Amino acid sequence: LLFSVPGGFWCMSVHILNEQPVHVIPGSKLVLTARIEKDLREEISTITWTREPETGYDRTKVTLATCPAKNPKCSGGKPDVQVSLKQQEATLEMNGYSTEDRGEYSVTVTDRSGANTTGRCIVRDYEAVHHVSVSINVSYSLLVCREAWGTDPSFSWLHERAAVTQQVGKVSKDGHMLIVTMTPLCGHFTCMV
Ligand SMILES: *[C@@H]1O[C@H](CO)[C@@H](O)[C@H](O)[C@H]1NC(C)=O
């Protein structure tokens, strides 16, 4: 294989830097940043951003933008998509993200010899907090807080509308549980998600 690639232009690679999966609030802006690693001898010729459904039978690829590297800024196939290339960083910006925009995003970098490399990332809707419930485990003096399907919920606890103190109890590492140490276990407890 080495012989079939004169010059040995192997080293070009691209990966998307956003923490994955990327969660986007519908209506807000999606920004993806990709870092291109390459040999000095390699010259980027085009950058293409595409999207395809993450799951399902119909995995039709949609081209969001194809841009020559010479253009520092270039608009995509969609009016609300802008892509740019600054040194080794390629950026895709999409205004007014909507649910139809979720999926697997790819950025493909092609060099002058036609060799290409692709970086991928999953983009999903940010789901608001849903259906919070609190239950009590009397025998172990535990209050347990649950949330149904929100994205990355974080939990905190109040007692009589103030943050719980050591006199009241201890919150578990993941925040789901309040281990109540005060006796008797009574008062007004709140779980905030
Ligand atoms: C109460 O908590 C203990 C300890 O975590 C657990 O083993 C038990 O099943 C819980 N009881 C109920 C009714 O959830």
Side-chain angles (χ1 to χ4, degrees):
L1 196 55
L2 263 170
F3 291 103
S4 69
V5 184
F9 288 156
W10 287 100
C11 10
M12 193 165 75
S13 72
V14 60
H15 65 274
I16 292 172
L17 301 176
N18 301 57
E19 196 180 310
Q20 295 193 38
V22 178
H23 285 111
V24 191
I25 299 171
S28 73
K29 188 176 186 174
L30 165 66
V31 180
L32 298 178
T33 306
R35 181 154 182 85
I36 302 160
E37 308 283 353
K38 67 176 188 66
D39 191 282
L40 277 175
R41 291 166 296 179
E42 281 175 300
E43 235 184 289
I44 299 166
S45 107
T46 56
I47 297 186
T48 303
W49 288 87
T50 57
R51 183 194 63 225
E52 60 191 297
E54 189 188 338
T55 53
Y57 272 120
D58 181 22
R59 301 206 59 182
T60 312
K61 221 177 233 182
V62 177
T63 301
L64 302 166
T66 301
C67 298
K70 277 174 285 183
N71 267 17
K73 239 181 160 62
C74 125
S75 298
K78 287 180 70 179
D80 46 1
V81 172
Q82 278 227 318
V83 302
S84 62
L85 174 67
K86 235 186 263 160
Q87 280 147 24
Q88 312 270 100
E89 244 171 45
T91 308
L92 172 106
E93 288 187 8
M94 182 185 283
N95 286 314
Y97 168 90
S98 75
T99 292
E100 295 86 68
D101 297 317
R102 67 169 186 256
E104 189 180 88
Y105 281 67
S106 301
V107 55
T108 300
V109 180
T110 308
D111 75 3
R112 296 233 174 270
S113 75
N116 63 67
T117 176
T118 299
R120 290 166 208 285
C121 106
I122 301 290
V123 174
R124 293 182 186 146
D125 294 352
Y126 182 93
E127 299 274 7
V129 57
H130 263 282
H131 303 314
V132 174
S133 63
V134 177
S135 57
I136 181 163
N137 182 326
V138 178
S139 28
Y140 288 83
S141 295
L142 296 175
L143 294 176
V144 182
C145 189
R146 294 275 167 228
E147 190 276 340
W149 65 75
T151 303
D152 286 339
S154 74
F155 299 81
S156 59
W157 291 89
L158 305 177
H159 175 243
E160 304 302 350
R161 301 186 184 277
V164 293
T165 58
Q166 282 186 328
Q167 281 74 48
V168 175
K170 197 172 158 271
V171 177
S172 67
K173 228 181 209 156
D174 62 10
H176 280 287
M177 263 191 313
L178 175 65
I179 304 127
V180 182
T181 46
M182 69 183 264
T183 46
L185 198 179
C186 68
H188 183 191
F189 291 88
T190 307
C191 166
M192 280 203 309
V193 187

